[in-house]
Amino acid sequence: MGIAADIVIILVAALAGALVAQRLKQPLMLGYILAGVLVGPFTAGVTVSDAHEIEKLAEIGVALLLFGIGLEFSLKELRPVRSIALIGAPIQIVLTIVYGYFIGQWLGWEHIPSMWLGGIISLSSTMVILKTLMNQGMLGTLSSRVMIGILLVQDLAVVPLMILLPQLSNPQAGVSTLAFAMLKGALFITLMLLLGTRWLPHVLKIIARWNSRELFLLCVTAIGLGIGYATYLVGLSFPFGAFVAGIVLSESDYGHQALSDIIPLRDLFGLLFFTSVGMLLDPVFLFDNLGDILFMVALVALGKGVMMGVIARSFGYRNVVPLAVALGMFQIGEFSFLLTQIGFSSGALSQSNYSFVISATIISMVLTPIVSGFTAPLYQWWRRSSKREALETFNLPDTSLKDHIVIAGGGRVGQHVARVLRQLDVPFVIVEAGHRNFEKCKGAGLPTVYGDASNHVVLEAAMIEDAKQLLITIPAAIVAQSIVQHAHLIRPDLNIVVRADGEEQMRALYDLGVYMVILPEFEAGLEIARQALLHIDVPVHQIQEYTDTIRKELYHPIVDSADDLHEIWQLKNAREFLELSWERLEDDHPMVGHNLRQLDLRSKSGVSVVGVIRDGAFVPNPDADFTFASGDYVAAIGNAAQRQLFKSLKDSTLGYGIS
């Protein structure tokens, strides 16, 4: 069967490797590489007959990977962290290339392989980092946004590295050759932006009108690979052209549909690429040189991690962010496999160099979840041992605060809460460690303490000992947990409400003894659903029962695990057992024209009428002789069954025995 048999072998092996990786909570990519090792020429058993042909097919996978990155590219994602992404990331790449060159020289490599090593280790792994962040419940935090911004620029840097490194590898290629290659690339990008942005979206629009999903997928694939092949014919990189085509299509109205359609095809051919990488890894070489490979991993991790942390700190990020970035982005990335393969096929890297880099890359990826997991304990240790910060306060009352609310985090959420409390004349103080947010709070005249809320001295400045409640609006999970622990050291009985971004983070916070954890995305989803149900005239009480049930399903499995938390939850949700219900009386309602004595609602339905709104005026606790009229809004209190019985009165025929 030839290559068909090889593809079948690879797919079956990749499935087995992916299942192992999923079981170990590792990216599937590592499972594909493992599958490549097992079916490669260096291991016994079932072996692919023609690895070279598989490598040719893998080139399509590389082109589709970069095509997908182009489709996903958006400057909007860089706006919150644009400074560190657009300036810090290029600085990091250049510094890492220089650092990698000296590592190669230290290991005894020649000049050209050392240059390639620098370019290869300058990239971090998007797949591994995103998987790690998801497993840790860190997606959506400031640390994750910083890392994703840097990763996006690093992924974009693959394209110029693919152009520059082969040119630099050729000793005869002077500045003119390099400049010509860059000129061709710039000219191609210019033509694509001028012509492609006009013609390609128009082509997709025509295809989309025919409502053929298959034809649309074929068109998208042909555009990506066709433009990539055109760039290859003019002497540029095949994947480079596919990447530019993706960027052009991302700006069209059909960019999202193109991306969703191309993802399965991209993943399938990407599987072939990562498997082909594993087929070139020699396990014997790995074990024979394990000490030297681990030494390389240690050098790369230490130097790159320090660079990442220093750059994050230099761009104004404080608290846990530099540490999280350093411990999360030290590894070598998946696109380094691509650069390594290009360097090997061009002769710039020897088989020994190739095996060294591939082995080090895989090991660094496997270590990422472990090393990143030390972020929380290291940050807490550092906060305990660090020197006290100079405090700056603004607009605090001259007299000591008492029974006030401390808001940890002066961002948008914290400021919204503060405005509500100020309107209700509830005393509060904000604690904010970011200078920009601190200035905004000052500008709004809000009482604010500048400092880290996980610092004992800062909490004392906010008078946490006399506070009634602590609200933590900071989205960073590690910071929130640290604040809770320090606050409980001062006030073990303090009522704490925390914002969280996922169930794992919520569980961890409940384990620390917080009173309530709020999931903003979950609550937003419930409110959107509630508004939709109100619009289609679903009864309010049914909507309330639905939202309460959904909240129980999410929160109760956690709260039920601890008796104390279960008791608190029951007290907080007592309204489910005794709740107020409003009923508007129409002309034909049985209560109209009768008083409470005649209706005898308490004995018949169990509810008690506690108020009536008539003509805009509120009548509290109406007496037994109060006669109801059309248009009244009647407030009755009781449990769910009693309230439902009261509401059903309008459909009855005075079956309550009116005397």
Side-chain angles (χ1 to χ4, degrees), residues 41 82 161 385 451 541 548 587:
R82 57 184 176 274
L161 287 174
S385 60
H541 72 278
D548 287 346
D587 293 338

Side-chain angles (χ1 to χ4, degrees), residues 508-521:
L509 289 166
Y510 273 127
D511 289 340
L512 293 176
V514 304
Y515 173 72
M516 185 64 182
V517 179
I518 305 298
L519 300 178
E521 292 185 359

Side-chain angles (χ1 to χ4, degrees), residues 5 16 36 93 121 124 129 136 164 206 208 212 224 244 249 265 269 277 285 356 373 382 554 563 566 642 656:
I93 292 172
I121 70 170
S124 300
I129 291 174
Q136 294 177 346
L164 295 176
I206 295 174
S212 173
V244 176
L249 290 181
L265 195 62
F269 279 94
V277 169
F285 177 89
F356 253 97
W382 178 74
L554 177 66
D563 292 338
H566 180 68
Q642 292 168 343
Y656 285 88

Side-chain angles (χ1 to χ4, degrees), residues 390-396 429 438 442 446-450 461-462:
L391 293 178
E392 181 180 355
T393 63
F394 175 79
N395 205 30
L396 291 187
V429 59
F438 177 69
K442 284 179 61 177
L446 304 175
T448 311
V449 175
Y450 179 72

Side-chain angles (χ1 to χ4, degrees), residues 371-503:
V371 175
S372 181
F374 286 107
T375 302
L378 285 177
Y379 176 72
Q380 293 171 4
W381 169 82
W382 178 74
R383 293 309 308 164
R384 288 194 298 267
S385 60
S386 62
K387 295 181 180 180
R388 295 188 171 188
E389 301 180 22
L391 293 178
E392 181 180 355
T393 63
F394 175 79
N395 205 30
L396 291 187
D398 296 332
T399 57
S400 297
L401 285 169
K402 190 173 182 62
D403 292 335
H404 60 290
I405 294 177
V406 177
I407 304 172
R412 286 178 298 178
V413 176
Q415 291 179 39
H416 286 317
V417 174
R419 292 189 188 100
V420 173
L421 295 178
R422 184 163 62 178
Q423 290 177 359
L424 298 175
D425 293 326
V426 177
F428 67 92
V429 59
I430 297 175
V431 179
E432 173 56 47
H435 186 266
R436 182 179 300 175
N437 286 333
F438 177 69
E439 292 297 325
K440 289 182 179 179
C441 292
K442 284 179 61 177
L446 304 175
T448 311
V449 175
Y450 179 72
D452 186 349
S454 63
N455 188 300
H456 189 90
V457 179
V458 176
L459 290 175
E460 287 181 346
M463 306 173 200
I464 197 72
E465 292 185 2
D466 298 319
K468 196 168 188 177
Q469 192 174 49
L470 170 62
L471 309 179
I472 303 177
T473 64
I474 300 171
I478 298 171
V479 177
Q481 293 174 21
S482 180
I483 294 173
V484 170
Q485 291 173 335
H486 283 81
H488 274 159
L489 288 176
I490 301 174
R491 277 279 307 278
D493 62 334
L494 183 62
N495 181 293
I496 302 178
V497 178
V498 193
R499 167 187 176 183
D501 286 319
E503 290 188 43

Side-chain angles (χ1 to χ4, degrees), residues 10 19 55 70 188 201 218 230 235 339 376 380 417 421 439 497 520 530 535 567 569 648:
I10 288 174
L19 292 174
E55 290 176 17
F188 173 75
L218 179 60
L339 294 177
Q380 293 171 4
V417 174
L421 295 178
E439 292 297 325
V497 178
R530 193 180 76 86
H535 185 69
E567 183 177 352
W569 182 264
S648 66

